[in-house]
Amino acid sequence: MSTAAPTCPGCQAPRVAGPECPWCGIIYARAEARSARLAEQARARREPEPPPAVDPAWLAPPPDLRPDVLPAETAAWDVDAEEEALELKLRLAALPVALWVGYLLATGSARFIVRLFTMPLHELGHALTAWLCGLPSLPTLWVTYTAGTRSYLFALVLACGLGLFVWRGRKERRRAWVAWGAGLLALQLVCTLLPLWRAEQLVTFGGDAGMMVLGTVLATSFYVGPHNYLRRQALRWGLLPLGALALWDGFATWWSAKRDAGEIPFGRMEGVGLSDASKLVEVHRWTEAALVRRYLLVGALCFGVLAVLYGFQVARARAWLSARK
């Protein structure tokens, strides 16, 4: 006697190995917890157990109904539907609001306060770039100490760590982990093979450029899944504004420099040496036009990534509203 394959309690599609149904979006664990809670309440009242949320014998979707449409009679999932609707509204509103507020703060009179929050990301951008190039580096709040010679042992250790990250992602079926790990491994290989003089240029450039890239990554963390630690602990509400500030802090600097060359942050910092812009122009012989253009290109790509991600959220919201009609 064969046992029927488990199905989704919402749309009756075959159950997959992931945490939620790819067709109707119902989270399996939440559905099971709700069924168990209803059963416990029924036993406490000495009543028979309630029927499942969706009985396939009398509530099977008609053949012409798309599998991603939840039947209208499934009132047991109204709470989940309300939560999903709220989450979609937040995903549509949070990013534009954060970027607008970030723009006002990063270009206003409080810019020096903004720099207190974004400078660690600037220094981390230097350090991450150095690590990918095989250069040991130690970031602090206001300066990053980077070795003058490449360490292939350090590069090997970093590659092993990224490889372990990819292996763990495949084992736990986390495609995002695999994609990030594989991408960073490929980037590390390219950067490690660069000549040392070009790697030093890249590390210097990686300050403001890395700050904008890291800001974009932090902003996109708002769109993690329901089981992600950042969402369960509400950390995404702090990472989103920090990412918006970092992105605008870097981009506004070089947008101003495009209109006025006097805004390029040339100079020398006490106890540190030449600023990044001065080092790239005076030591590495970049032209001012190339310096500004390359930073603005990084910023434009970062805003482009956020625009594509936001467009995907808009399309998802429209699909959800169409399914509820």
Side-chain angles (χ1 to χ4, degrees):
M1 181 178 180
S2 61
T3 303
T7 59
C8 171
C11 63
Q12 303 306 312
R15 185 162 177 169
V16 300
E20 62 183 36
C21 179
W23 300 110
C24 65
I26 287 179
I27 300 174
Y28 298 136
R30 183 180 295 174
E32 294 170 355
R34 179 179 177 85
S35 298
R37 185 170 65 254
L38 292 176
E40 182 65 24
Q41 293 175 357
R43 283 194 295 268
R45 296 193 303 267
R46 295 183 179 180
E47 295 177 0
E49 291 188 10
V54 179
D55 186 359
W58 58 274
L59 199 55
D64 59 342
L65 190 63
R66 298 198 317 271
D68 59 334
V69 178
L70 191 63
E73 294 85 356
T74 56
W77 303 104
D78 285 346
V79 175
D80 293 340
E82 292 178 1
E83 293 179 358
E84 180 68 13
L86 176 60
E87 177 63 22
L88 288 175
K89 293 177 181 177
L90 292 176
R91 287 174 174 243
L92 293 179
L95 182 60
V97 171
L99 289 176
W100 176 245
V101 174
Y103 168 77
L104 295 178
L105 293 176
T107 58
S109 58
R111 188 174 183 179
F112 70 98
I113 299 178
V114 171
R115 184 52 62 97
L116 296 176
F117 294 94
T118 60
M119 183 56 69
L121 293 179
H122 174 96
E123 301 302 336
L124 186 57
H126 283 307
L128 289 174
T129 308
W131 295 343
L132 291 174
C133 293
L135 297 169
S137 184
L138 177 63
T140 64
L141 291 179
W142 297 104
V143 63
T144 300
Y145 301 97
T146 302
T149 58
R150 181 173 277 133
S151 172
Y152 290 100
L153 177 60
F154 176 83
L156 178 61
V157 172
L158 179 60
C160 290
L162 293 174
L164 181 61
F165 185 73
V166 173
W167 174 81
R168 184 69 180 271
R170 291 194 60 184
K171 182 179 180 182
E172 298 186 7
R173 297 182 179 179
R174 295 179 179 266
R175 290 176 293 181
W177 290 16
V178 176
W180 274 103
L184 289 175
L185 270 174
L187 184 60
Q188 185 204 12
L189 176 62
V190 173
C191 293
T192 304
L193 295 178
L194 290 175
L196 182 58
W197 62 271
R198 190 169 293 278
E200 291 175 347
Q201 291 184 16
L202 197 59
V203 171
T204 304
F205 180 74
D208 275 1
M211 179 174 66
M212 289 188 284
V213 172
L214 290 174
T216 304
V217 173
L218 293 180
T220 58
S221 68
F222 188 83
Y223 297 105
V224 295
H227 300 288
N228 192 281
Y229 181 81
L230 298 179
R231 180 167 166 180
R232 288 188 289 107
Q233 301 298 324
L235 296 178
R236 60 177 182 159
W237 289 102
L239 298 179
L240 173 60
L242 179 59
L245 285 177
L247 178 55
W248 271 117
D249 188 22
F251 188 81
T253 297
W254 297 101
W255 184 256
S256 299
K258 181 179 183 298
R259 296 179 296 177
D260 181 7
E263 295 293 329
I264 299 177
F266 291 131
R268 178 180 294 271
M269 295 177 288
E270 183 178 357
V272 177
L274 293 175
S275 66
D276 294 342
S278 296
K279 189 180 296 184
L280 289 171
V281 172
E282 298 179 18
V283 178
H284 299 295
R285 302 302 179 185
W286 287 20
T287 64
E288 293 182 4
L291 178 69
V292 174
R293 183 175 64 252
R294 289 165 183 171
Y295 275 119
L296 289 180
L297 177 60
V298 173
L301 290 175
C302 291
F303 279 112
V305 169
L306 292 181
V308 171
L309 180 60
Y310 187 76
F312 174 78
Q313 300 302 321
V314 172
R316 179 182 177 186
R318 289 180 176 176
W320 188 86
L321 290 175
S322 299
R324 297 295 295 176
K325 292 180 180 179

